Amino acid sequence: MNNSKLIIGSHVGFTSNKQLLGSVEEALSYGANTFMFYTGAPQNTKRSPISDELTYKAYQLMKEHNMDLEKVIIHAPYIVNLGNLENFDFSVSFLKEEVRRASQLGIKYVVLHPGASVSYTKADSIKSIIDGLNIILDNNLDVTICLESMAGKGTEIGSNMEELKTIINGVKFKNKIGVCLDTCHLSDSGVDITKFDEYLDLFDKEIGINYIKCFHINDSKNIMGSHKDRHENLGFGDLGFDTLINIIYNERLKDIPKILETPYVTPDDNSKEKIYPPYKYEIDMIRNKVFDSELINKIRNN
Ligand code: FE
Ligand code: FE
Ligand code: ZN
């Protein structure tokens, strides 16, 4: 297997004063060659204007380190819900602006939680998501929205292939829609990811493997089918290190960016304060392909 093809990174911050430059610096500090970020706090609508000067500096730094802008991901804020007919106009206008911001930053992929039906029927909610996407997706902008596969928590839409397929089928600009598969969510939704090639075969038949633009690599605190959506550090959860390594190094997925969204580590077992980012250590472990059972302690003691 050729390690140089591995495109690996994690969730990083995006602050108003350093913007993309700060995100690149953080990613580099983890030994990553790609990254994902929210363009502002995911739970509110406050967004600072993009500084093209900082973006340009970020590009220079990326170039020095052979980072490919095409593999960088933006995550849409989770306050938007295209599946809730009540807040439809707000979600559409906010997402449209996110897509514009992505385009200004030169970033091609925006990951979106498809939505949640809340008090509506699934069918109405899915129709609303399709309508929203058809308003937002702009064939003149080089930005693709990637629907994330969801755990199926509450009334979430997109926790099975059928729902993702229905949404994609309803979208007019097929070259502007994609999928982001999240390993924790897939297992939570009932997919046996130890047989990942079987899942990929089915995905290819139903949707098309070429629609997969991004991977979220997370272990899970819960067993398959639990619909809980609680991420765990690599190798410390129910999925296990070998299963995740097999997905990360799967030849059919080699050019697709793999993004870690594993939890920050607490100072000790009894603490709830998540303060240490695990990504540098997890990326190292992924590159070595050997599980380190002492990883959490190493992170704490550094
Ligand atoms: Fe997500
Ligand atoms: Fe995710
Ligand atoms: Zn999640």
Side-chain angles (χ1 to χ4, degrees):
M1 269 183 273
N2 186 349
N3 271 7
S4 67
K5 274 175 187 158
L6 179 66
I7 299 153
I8 185 90
S10 71
H11 168 81
V12 298
F14 181 92
T15 57
S16 54
N17 59 327
K18 288 198 91 179
Q19 302 193 357
L20 193 66
L21 180 61
S23 308
V24 174
E25 286 170 350
E26 186 180 343
L28 288 171
S29 78
Y30 301 147
N33 55 16
T34 193
F35 56 94
M36 179 180 81
F37 62 99
Y38 293 94
T39 72
Q43 72 280 11
N44 70 42
T45 55
K46 252 179 63 194
R47 293 291 178 273
S48 49
I50 304 288
S51 152
D52 289 337
E53 198 188 321
L54 286 170
T55 304
Y56 180 68
K57 282 185 181 158
Y59 287 175
Q60 281 183 311
L61 189 58
M62 288 177 77
K63 210 171 164 188
E64 279 167 37
H65 293 271
N66 283 315
M67 275 180 159
D68 184 356
L69 188 63
E70 285 238 343
K71 306 293 180 188
V72 176
I73 312 285
I74 284 177
H75 198 309
Y78 44 75
I79 37 154
V80 303
N81 178 5
L82 293 176
N84 183 1
L85 286 77
E86 232 164 88
N87 275 315
F88 184 76
D89 291 343
F90 158 76
S91 290
V92 165
S93 64
F94 197 67
L95 260 179
K96 209 170 168 57
E97 174 60 10
E98 281 292 293
V99 167
R100 193 203 61 75
R101 286 164 71 80
S103 168
Q104 190 182 349
L105 287 162
I107 287 163
K108 218 178 149 179
Y109 298 109
V110 173
V111 168
L112 173 72
H113 294 180
S117 57
V118 197
S119 59
Y120 298 90
T121 66
K122 282 230 164 189
D124 282 348
S125 184
I126 288 172
K127 189 183 174 299
S128 170
I129 293 166
I130 293 168
D131 290 345
L133 288 171
N134 280 329
I135 298 170
I136 295 156
L137 292 174
D138 184 336
N139 223 16
N140 298 312
L141 294 181
D142 194 18
V143 177
T144 295
I145 290 185
C146 303
L147 305 169
E148 183 165 351
S149 65
M150 302 308 290
K153 198 172 146 187
T155 62
E156 271 173 1
I157 306 277
S159 65
N160 58 60
M161 240 183 252
E162 294 76 45
E163 288 174 0
L164 296 173
K165 184 181 173 176
T166 305
I167 297 169
I168 291 169
N169 282 343
V171 167
K172 197 169 129 203
F173 299 127
K174 296 283 192 276
N175 60 330
K176 292 288 182 282
I177 191 83
V179 171
C180 169
L181 294 177
D182 183 311
T183 55
C184 169
H185 299 175
L186 283 176
S187 174
D188 261 354
S189 73
V191 174
D192 179 1
I193 66 163
T194 62
K195 298 178 178 125
F196 205 68
D197 272 297
E198 285 177 24
Y199 177 79
L200 282 181
D201 289 341
L202 188 65
F203 191 98
D204 199 31
K205 193 169 146 250
E206 293 295 322
I207 296 175
I209 222 168
N210 55 312
Y211 278 93
I212 305 173
K213 304 298 184 192
C214 175
F215 257 88
H216 287 170
I217 303 292
N218 303 303
D219 210 323
S220 176
K221 285 193 196 295
N222 298 287
I223 58 165
M224 189 173 91
S226 56
H227 308 295
K228 291 252 177 42
D229 194 1
R230 301 274 315 278
H231 303 183
E232 182 55 282
N233 293 104
L234 248 62
F236 292 88
D238 191 68
L239 309 187
F241 188 70
D242 293 343
T243 296
L244 292 168
I245 281 290
N246 281 334
I247 295 172
I248 292 166
Y249 286 99
N250 188 308
E251 274 295 306
R252 298 157 86 183
L253 311 167
K254 68 178 177 208
D255 294 323
I256 303 168
K258 316 287 187 322
I259 306 288
L260 299 164
E261 301 175 298
T262 47
Y264 275 38
V265 171
T266 58
D268 59 71
D269 283 338
N270 302 318
S271 173
K272 292 219 177 319
E273 245 193 319
K274 294 183 178 170
I275 47 177
Y276 305 123
Y279 307 123
K280 178 177 178 289
Y281 301 85
E282 288 181 329
I283 288 171
D284 241 27
M285 198 165 67
I286 289 167
R287 292 196 199 277
N288 295 333
K289 298 179 196 167
V290 181
F291 179 59
D292 180 358
S293 61
E294 284 303 304
L295 195 84
I296 302 296
N297 289 330
K298 273 188 191 158
I299 296 169
R300 282 172 177 166
N301 295 330
N302 204 291

